[in-house]
Amino acid sequence: AQSVTQLDSQVPVFEEAPVELRCNYSSSVSVYLFWYVQYPNQGLQLLLKYLSGSTLVKGINGFEAEFNKSQTSFHLRKPSVHISDTAEYFCAVSRRTGANNLFFGTGTRLTVIP
Amino acid sequence: DVKVTQSSRYLVKRTGEKVFLECVQDMDHENMFWYRQDPGLGLRLIYFSYDVKMKEKGDIPEGYSVSREKKERFSLILESASTNQTSMYLCASSSEGLGFSGELFFGEGSRLTVL
């Protein structure tokens, strides 16, 4: 079975500061990894995904994430946040084969402070 | 533009009522999903469907059923609503099948309150 742990439930950060949202996963098989973002009163949308190849993945809105197989991590980073980045961020994992579903973490609420 | 539409953004129902949550997608996707979102618990899968009239239980199917009579429409049914089903319900669809590597497209959610 797969599982995802998001270590921080809330992360406050000042505008223009860098941010890292942490995600660790557990799986006995190879996986795909995802970050989704949920803006207030909206559904989730894909931020970025790691399928294969380069371990550094770039997404929308200046976000990037690095896949670290040895540490089973997929942390999300942005060098300089904006007020508009205030949202909830979800890390998710799926098996590479035989999977029909994503397993989501519990989410990290990022609050950007002016 | 890709669209997943949930018919009701906010609903208030009484305990014991039958509740229908409707979801329609316009992307001709094979797979559709119903998730429940609760604070501190993230998203949990209730049911999914990979084809018309096909359904599979997710992680928390108890108290729910689903219907998929047409490819574009996936309904979630609460036969007898209870207060512990007060939650945000999210519908999603995807074009990918087994060996999931695709993107989930979500609706805006239906916030259900059961009194």
Side-chain angles (χ1 to χ4, degrees):
Chain A
Q2 293 73 48
S3 67
V4 176
T5 302
Q6 292 185 246
L7 298 164
D8 306 298
S9 60
Q10 297 189 57
V11 173
V13 62
F14 286 104
E15 192 174 12
E16 297 184 5
V19 70
E20 178 179 84
L21 305 183
R22 297 180 293 169
C23 172
N24 287 87
Y25 69 94
S26 173
S27 177
S28 58
V29 299
S30 295
V31 296
Y32 298 126
L33 293 157
F34 305 79
W35 275 98
Y36 280 80
V37 60
Q38 184 179 33
Y39 297 107
N41 298 315
Q42 294 186 25
L44 282 71
Q45 65 183 83
L46 183 67
L47 204 54
L48 49 81
K49 61 183 176 182
Y50 172 75
L51 304 181
S52 64
S54 173
T55 57
L56 183 63
V57 180
K58 294 190 183 297
I60 61 172
N61 300 337
F63 283 92
E64 63 181 32
E66 185 154 21
F67 171 57
N68 188 319
K69 189 175 182 179
S70 63
Q71 297 187 4
T72 61
S73 68
F74 191 54
H75 301 332
L76 182 70
R77 301 186 183 98
K78 186 171 182 178
S80 175
V81 295
H82 301 130
I83 295 291
S84 58
D85 292 324
T86 294
E88 189 144 22
Y89 292 80
F90 293 92
C91 184
V93 63
S94 76
R95 293 200 311 261
R96 284 179 174 263
T97 57
N100 283 337
N101 182 29
L102 294 184
F103 293 92
F104 285 87
T106 53
T108 298
R109 182 167 297 279
L110 174 65
T111 302
V112 180
I113 305 163
Chain B
D1 205 12
V2 165
K3 198 79 173 170
V4 177
T5 303
Q6 295 183 230
S7 57
S8 304
R9 292 295 305 274
Y10 301 94
L11 302 94
V12 179
K13 298 293 182 180
R14 296 204 175 275
T15 301
E17 279 192 82
K18 191 169 185 175
V19 182
F20 291 88
L21 299 179
E22 305 283 342
C23 175
V24 176
Q25 50 98 359
D26 65 359
M27 297 164 283
D28 200 35
H29 283 170
E30 290 78 18
N31 304 296
M32 296 188 75
F33 305 78
W34 275 107
Y35 287 90
R36 172 176 170 161
Q37 182 181 10
D38 299 289
L41 297 178
L43 277 72
R44 294 178 291 167
L45 181 66
I46 305 171
Y47 269 96
F48 68 96
S49 168
Y50 52 88
D51 201 352
V52 175
K53 297 192 185 296
M54 305 301 288
K55 59 185 180 184
E56 293 279 348
K57 292 181 180 178
D59 300 316
I60 52 165
E62 297 77 18
Y64 303 94
S65 62
V66 291
S67 171
R68 193 163 181 205
E69 296 296 320
K70 293 184 177 181
K71 189 175 185 179
E72 68 270 18
R73 188 180 296 270
F74 192 36
S75 302
L76 181 69
I77 303 155
L78 287 66
E79 294 288 343
S80 178
S82 63
T83 55
N84 62 13
Q85 292 178 309
T86 291
S87 187
M88 170 70 86
Y89 292 88
L90 292 169
C91 175
S93 72
S94 78
S95 61
E96 299 292 327
L98 296 178
F100 192 97
S101 65
E103 179 177 350
L104 278 176
F105 294 89
F106 283 86
E108 293 188 320
S110 298
R111 185 168 293 282
L112 172 66
T113 302
V114 183
L115 302 176

